Amino acid sequence: MKLKGEKQESSDYNEGSKGKMTLLLALVTLISAFGSSFQYGYNVSVINSPAPYMQDFYNQTYFTRNGVPMDSGFQTLLWSLTVSMFPLGGLFGSLMVWPLVNNCGRKGTLLINNLFSIAAAILMGTSELAKTFEVIIFSRVIMGIYAGLASNVVPMFLGEMSPKNLRGAIGVVPQLFITLGILVAQILGLNSILGNAEGWPVLLGLTGIPSLIQLLVLPFFPESPRYLLIQKGNEEQARQALQKLRGWHDVDDEMEEMRQEDRSEKEEGHFSVLSLCTFRGLRWQLISIIVMMMGQQLSGVNAVFYYADRIFQSAGVDSHNVQYVTVSIGAINVVMTLLAIFIVESLGRRILLLAGFGLCCVSCAVLTLALSLQATVSWMSYLSIVCVIVYIIGHAIGASPIPFVMITEMFLQSSRPAAFMVGGSVHWLCNFTVGLVFLYMEAGLGPYSFLIFCAICLATIVYIFFIVPETKNKTFMEINRIMAKRNKVEIQEDKEKLEDVHTVPGGQAEKKEVSSSEL
């Protein structure tokens, strides 16, 4: 016990110096986020602007081959495939996270992943010359796989490298680059730049450039020290990586914290997804990330972006200028995510999650009202513009960035890859579902479809309020102890007692009773 007290003192003593943002840490954060996360955002929105020109290309190609114009139903099918293959690829990418990060490491996975992006960029860029639209749809699957891996591996890689007092801020950086990617795609997709009949293949092909840069630069940076020590058992390399990242020689405290985590996990080995789902000691962590990921995607963010153009047109914005309005929404998204980086360490994760989902919930409710009354009350269309902006702000400060930070923080090294695989799969599956179902929902319910999103946001808020703990400025082991109390298991350095609690007869029923009364 004395030792633990000393450990606490020494980490407090080092707190002033411990969490410095070194140049190397900043560079590795920027290179990882620019090379990987940026392209996730870029490819989410890149096909929105040139859609009519790409559909013309589909039509012409079909006509050249078959001598008859394409049936409109077939064209709609092809286009919806072009859009929806990206999140479907994302789901496949998420399923590859666990085997790749455990076998190739975090950095190795990012490097291998770049090959997907470069291949897809070349295929999309040359699709017009090759007169083939099938290649575009295929490339969207490949880009999806790329984004599925990137969206999970980058937060994991950066979260494991960061000192505890910067982990939240660094964890939001990938989301910042996703929003930047969306913005850059919107700007380059303006009709006057590349969003035209000649420019769209270039617009699609540009996505390979960040990957190429990352492929050339990332090998010079260190691998995640936690991966090196806990999974590879290579203490010397882990120490060197940590010394480089922290910028000084004395990293004993952090090494000790990692060893402690290593000891507490020795008996479990790697968690597969199945063992993660059945292991009682991680039950609430798992439920929490599933709820947060579902809340993030099913809160209607895609629907709000989809509706935005129409909302602005109904408020009297000229249809030629709507594209500039879309860019300005993209810019608000970037600015608010940047703000999240600066406030996540002072306000904490819980506050941002609750405030973010709260703003989304309120703006969805008011938006429903505004959209249904705008035919009768003239100023309602301006209220709906305000709702869209408030919604984007809410999503950017909490709902978008924080769930990925929480996956890194709520799980220890052995279970983290499996947790990212589950969280990532839920993220992409919900993304795919919203893309598929929303058009039908909108046709059937009109503006009232936002009430469903409002209810989902509310349910997520209630769950977060009662279950999700604050993880700010805590080590992974401290967070694990907080969650162990909720899971009704004890954490010891030796795992015997955990096993005892785990196998208590009737323990399951007792657990359920407690947790339902807690809820």
Side-chain angles (χ1 to χ4, degrees):
M1 197 64 230
K2 177 88 168 59
L3 185 104
K4 203 170 135 194
E6 282 173 4
K7 166 101 181 64
Q8 194 58 48
E9 268 173 37
S10 63
S11 67
D12 289 344
Y13 173 73
N14 267 351
E15 201 54 67
S17 59
K18 193 169 185 176
K20 202 176 66 171
M21 172 58 94
T22 57
L23 180 63
L24 189 76
L25 185 59
L27 284 174
V28 77
T29 304
L30 294 176
I31 292 290
S32 312
F34 173 66
S36 296
S37 309
F38 176 85
Q39 294 181 79
Y40 168 18
Y42 186 85
N43 285 286
V44 163
S45 71
V46 73
I47 58 170
N48 295 351
S49 309
Y53 306 105
M54 288 174 71
Q55 284 163 331
D56 286 347
F57 166 68
Y58 285 19
N59 244 331
Q60 277 173 321
T61 308
Y62 187 84
F63 185 73
T64 313
R65 283 183 200 167
N66 303 315
V68 286
M70 193 186 280
D71 176 47
S72 68
F74 185 55
Q75 181 167 0
T76 310
L77 173 71
L78 279 181
W79 188 250
S80 56
L81 278 177
T82 309
V83 175
S84 62
M85 278 301 135
F86 182 67
L88 195 63
L91 177 61
F92 297 148
S94 295
L95 296 176
M96 292 159 65
V97 167
W98 185 78
L100 275 175
V101 294
N102 284 332
N103 295 317
C104 310
R106 280 69 171 141
K107 186 174 87 168
T109 303
L110 288 178
L111 292 172
I112 293 166
N113 199 19
N114 287 324
L115 302 176
F116 285 119
S117 161
I118 293 167
I122 292 169
L123 287 174
M124 288 194 291
T126 56
S127 57
E128 194 188 23
L129 289 172
K131 300 266 182 289
T132 163
F133 54 76
E134 293 87 348
V135 157
I136 296 178
I137 296 172
F138 175 68
S139 300
R140 291 283 291 171
V141 182
I142 303 290
M143 270 328 293
I145 292 173
Y146 174 85
L149 275 164
S151 63
N152 291 302
V153 180
V154 176
M156 189 193 305
F157 181 51
L158 297 181
E160 289 179 8
M161 284 191 157
S162 314
K164 64 179 183 181
N165 59 324
L166 291 175
R167 207 168 48 223
I170 288 175
V172 178
V173 172
Q175 184 61 37
L176 174 69
F177 274 83
I178 291 173
T179 58
L180 268 172
I182 293 174
L183 179 63
V184 169
Q186 286 169 340
I187 293 170
L188 293 177
L190 293 171
N191 294 349
S192 52
I193 304 177
L194 289 172
N196 49 48
E198 296 77 44
W200 66 262
V202 180
L203 185 65
L204 294 181
L206 283 176
T207 187
I209 295 173
S211 271
L212 198 58
I213 294 171
Q214 190 184 52
L215 196 55
L216 296 173
V217 177
L218 195 64
F220 297 103
F221 290 94
E223 175 58 276
S224 153
R226 280 175 188 278
Y227 170 77
L228 292 170
L229 178 73
I230 298 174
Q231 276 159 280
K232 284 284 175 228
N234 192 329
E235 191 157 325
E236 196 41 49
Q237 278 190 334
R239 181 181 291 278
Q240 285 171 2
L242 205 53
Q243 285 168 341
K244 281 183 193 166
L245 286 165
R246 298 291 173 264
W248 56 72
H249 213 65
D250 177 22
V251 288
D252 292 345
D253 281 349
E254 256 184 295
M255 288 295 286
E256 182 48 45
E257 187 243 318
M258 285 195 253
R259 280 190 212 106
Q260 199 183 342
E261 187 179 328
D262 189 22
R263 282 195 295 273
S264 86
E265 300 206 309
K266 269 285 185 273
E267 306 216 346
E268 290 154 14
H270 285 326
F271 274 88
S272 67
V273 171
L274 188 66
S275 57
L276 176 70
C277 294
T278 52
F279 183 58
R280 184 173 153 195
L282 294 170
R283 182 173 302 162
W284 281 107
Q285 287 96 310
L286 189 69
I287 297 171
S288 298
I289 61 159
I290 290 173
V291 169
M292 285 190 284
M293 281 299 174
M294 287 178 76
Q296 180 198 61
Q297 287 301 311
L298 301 179
S299 58
V301 63
N302 301 358
V304 170
F305 270 112
Y306 174 81
Y307 244 95
D309 290 6
R310 222 176 306 178
I311 289 168
F312 284 103
Q313 276 177 334
S314 67
V317 177
D318 179 30
S319 58
H320 288 297
N321 294 335
V322 163
Q323 52 176 353
Y324 298 105
V325 174
T326 314
V327 169
S328 60
I329 288 186
I332 293 170
N333 206 355
V334 172
V335 171
M336 295 317 294
T337 310
L338 190 60
L339 176 68
I341 291 178
F342 291 105
I343 58 178
V344 67
E345 294 300 354
S346 50
L347 293 181
R349 284 57 153 162
R350 252 175 77 89
I351 300 285
L352 288 188
L353 280 168
L354 292 169
F357 278 111
L359 287 174
C360 291
C361 182
V362 171
S363 50
C364 276
V366 179
L367 189 57
T368 310
L369 184 74
L371 287 174
S372 38
L373 291 179
Q374 72 181 17
T376 44
V377 185
S378 60
W379 52 269
M380 277 295 170
S381 54
Y382 298 107
L383 181 61
S384 53
I385 290 181
V386 172
C387 287
V388 168
I389 291 169
V390 170
Y391 182 93
I392 298 291
I393 289 172
H395 222 276
I397 60 165
S400 284
I402 308 296
F404 279 110
V405 176
M406 297 298 274
I407 302 183
T408 308
E409 296 190 325
M410 281 179 145
F411 292 88
L412 295 179
Q413 198 71 16
S414 60
S415 51
R416 194 174 294 127
F420 263 102
M421 197 158 143
V422 172
S425 301
V426 170
H427 169 99
W428 288 100
L429 201 58
C430 293
N431 188 325
F432 180 65
T433 309
V434 170
L436 222 55
V437 173
F438 178 68
L439 290 175
Y440 298 105
M441 249 171 69
E442 198 247 334
L445 299 169
Y448 295 104
S449 49
F450 284 102
L451 283 179
I452 296 173
F453 299 133
C454 176
I456 290 169
C457 289
L458 190 61
T460 313
I461 290 168
V462 171
Y463 180 88
I464 290 167
F465 185 78
F466 287 108
I467 303 291
V468 177
E470 180 52 76
T471 56
K472 179 181 78 167
N473 217 1
K474 293 182 170 67
T475 65
F476 292 132
M477 285 303 290
E478 286 163 352
I479 297 164
N480 205 36
R481 286 187 197 106
I482 296 170
M483 292 309 287
K485 289 194 186 90
R486 189 168 292 292
N487 289 317
K488 300 287 177 290
V489 294
E490 293 174 47
I491 293 198
Q492 254 74 25
E493 288 303 305
D494 56 323
K495 280 277 164 142
E496 270 61 63
K497 292 201 181 167
L498 179 71
E499 297 308 321
D500 292 348
V501 179
H502 193 41
T503 50
V504 169
Q508 200 84 353
E510 174 194 300
K511 164 83 182 78
K512 277 184 181 149
E513 216 176 289
V514 176
S515 58
S516 59
S517 67
E518 267 179 7
L519 278 167

